[in-house]
Each structure stands twice: as structure tokens, then as C-alpha cells.
Amino acid sequence: AQKVTQAQTEISVVEKEDVTLDCVYETRDTTYYLFWYKQPPSGELVFLIRRNSFDEQNEISGRYSWNFQKSTSSFNFTITASQVVDSAVYFCALSEPNYGGSQGNLIFGKGTKLSVKP
Amino acid sequence: DTGVSQNPRHKITKRGQNVTFRCDPISEHNRLYWYRQTLGQGPEFLTYFQNEAQLEKSRLLSDRFSAERPKGSFSTLEIQRTEQGDSAMYLCASSPDRGGGEKLFFGSGTQLSVL
């Protein structure tokens, strides 16, 4: 069965610290997608990144970087030089097998609440 | 891009009442999804539409839940005979039909409280 585990429930850091959010997934599919979404207090989930199972290249976008390792079924997310505006709940998600041609059916982890203090 | 709009933002109802939520997706998006999120959990997939066709509904939580998307535009999610366990945030998302690992655009959700 597909599963996403985010073992860190809450993390608190001081501004400018680096922080890594862990994500471990389980799937029997050979083709799948992994995602990170951010949910600020307003409630609206915001897409951060998508990675397909055939692309293990790490990605960097500004202060954000992602480390995908198939060997350990992990897709970790690092924020460098954290800022107060990074405070939010971050969700890792895995695409389910196609239902009617869609891969928008996502399995989400329970999320990690990040608090960045000034 | 005006974003995904959900109404109402909050709904308080008494147990046994029926409730209906509305979602207006981004206008050019063919696909529309409903998710439910309870406190301290990640969103849980409920159902999905490709235009007006509901292609997956086996994950609706019970036969008290139903969804429609007439004319492939806005969608409604109805819960009949609400129970306290239905209290949750109901999220709508849309995506363009571009295949493979869809990027979902979420609305801000409807928070349902069943008293």
C-alpha cells in the first residue's frame, strides 16, 4: 500500500537557521510522483515542487532544495537561512496509481509544522 | 488567474442537517478534486471530476456524501444527515489536464463544524 511518513510533527528554529523536513514514502509502483506543498495559516495549500520517480536529480530553488533518494525512499526538503514567512505546515505527498487517467489523487503525509522565530 | 474559490469559508450546522459546499475552479482547468482534512492530518482524497464526468467516487466516505459538477464548471459537495465526525476542512483543487503528476491548485477550503 502507498504511504507517506513525515516523522517530524513540529520543528521550531530561529530565523536564519537551516532546517530539513524529512519525508519517507512507500509504494509498489515504478512510476510515481512526489510533491511538497506548503499550508500557511490561511489554509490554502501551495504547490512547491513535483518530482517524478525517474528523476533523482536534486533540485534547488532559491532558499529551497530537495533531495530525492530512491534507494532510501526519501524525499527531504531543506530550507536554507529560514525566515519568519516560512512558518507553515509542510506536506509531502505521493501520487496514487491512475484513476481514470488522473494522477491528482495524492496521498499526503501528516505534515510538519515549522515555526521560525525572529 | 483568479485562483480556486470555495464557499462558504465556514459552516456550522446541527447534526442531522444537510450541507452543501461550492467550489469554483480556475476557469481553464478540466480536472477538479475534493479532499477532506481533519485536524493534525494531511488532506485525504475524496473524489475527482474530468470536466462534468465523475471518474472516481469510491473514496467518498459514505453514501451520505455526493458531488456534482454540472456543465464541467463549478462543483458542489453535499453531505446529508451530517454527523459530528464529518467536522473537518473540505478542500477543493483543480488542475489543467496535462497528464502525469498533476500540480494541484487548492482553494482555501470550507471548514465544517457539526454540533
Side-chain angles (χ1 to χ4, degrees):
Chain A
Q2 277 84 0
K3 185 179 178 181
V4 174
T5 301
Q6 294 181 256
Q8 303 149 310
T9 305
E10 292 193 42
I11 299 176
S12 183
V13 299
V14 176
E15 209 170 19
K16 297 185 184 177
E17 284 186 25
D18 298 347
V19 58
T20 295
L21 310 181
D22 297 333
C23 173
V24 174
Y25 64 94
E26 296 175 30
T27 181
R28 293 180 182 173
D29 296 331
T30 54
T31 302
Y32 54 88
Y33 289 83
L34 294 162
F35 301 79
W36 277 93
Y37 280 84
K38 174 182 179 180
Q39 188 173 41
S42 61
E44 183 176 325
L45 283 105
V46 177
F47 169 89
L48 295 178
I49 190 172
R50 166 184 53 206
R51 173 67 69 218
N52 76 51
S53 52
F54 298 109
D55 182 3
E56 288 192 70
Q57 279 195 335
N58 292 332
E59 182 157 339
I60 298 174
S61 176
R63 296 183 298 107
Y64 296 170
S65 63
W66 292 269
N67 184 339
F68 176 30
Q69 291 195 345
K70 268 177 106 166
S71 61
T72 56
S73 298
S74 65
F75 187 43
N76 296 338
F77 172 31
T78 298
I79 302 174
T80 302
S82 59
Q83 300 176 1
V84 173
V85 293
D86 295 327
S87 297
V89 181
Y90 291 86
F91 291 97
C92 180
L94 168 69
S95 63
E96 288 196 85
N98 277 340
Y99 283 108
S102 165
Q103 285 182 313
N105 314 348
L106 302 181
I107 298 168
F108 284 83
K110 292 186 177 183
T112 297
K113 182 177 180 180
L114 175 64
S115 298
V116 182
K117 302 189 185 308
Chain B
D1 183 349
T2 57
V4 177
S5 176
Q6 291 189 247
N7 288 288
R9 288 297 310 274
H10 303 274
K11 178 70 176 178
I12 300 173
T13 191
K14 292 183 179 179
R15 190 174 50 188
Q17 298 293 305
N18 298 343
V19 294
T20 300
F21 312 138
R22 177 177 170 126
C23 171
D24 287 272
I26 294 172
S27 58
E28 65 268 23
H29 286 185
N30 298 325
R31 294 182 170 175
L32 187 148
Y33 299 81
W34 285 99
Y35 282 79
R36 183 180 83 149
Q37 185 178 19
T38 54
L39 198 61
Q41 303 293 317
E44 174 188 13
F45 169 76
L46 295 178
T47 188
Y48 136 72
F49 291 86
Q50 169 82 30
N51 298 312
E52 66 275 11
Q54 190 175 12
L55 297 185
E56 172 55 47
K57 57 182 178 181
S58 66
R59 307 281 283 279
L60 287 168
L61 299 165
S62 79
D63 57 10
R64 297 184 296 106
F65 286 70
S66 63
E68 293 183 343
R69 192 182 182 195
K71 302 178 183 177
S73 56
F74 71 92
S75 176
T76 57
L77 178 69
E78 181 181 15
I79 308 175
Q80 296 183 327
R81 305 181 303 281
T82 52
E83 301 173 358
Q84 287 186 326
D86 297 332
S87 297
M89 175 78 82
Y90 291 84
L91 297 166
C92 176
S94 68
S95 77
D97 179 8
R98 295 184 187 151
E102 296 169 38
K103 173 182 174 180
L104 299 183
F105 295 78
F106 282 87
S108 296
T110 294
Q111 181 67 53
L112 173 66
S113 297
V114 181
L115 304 178

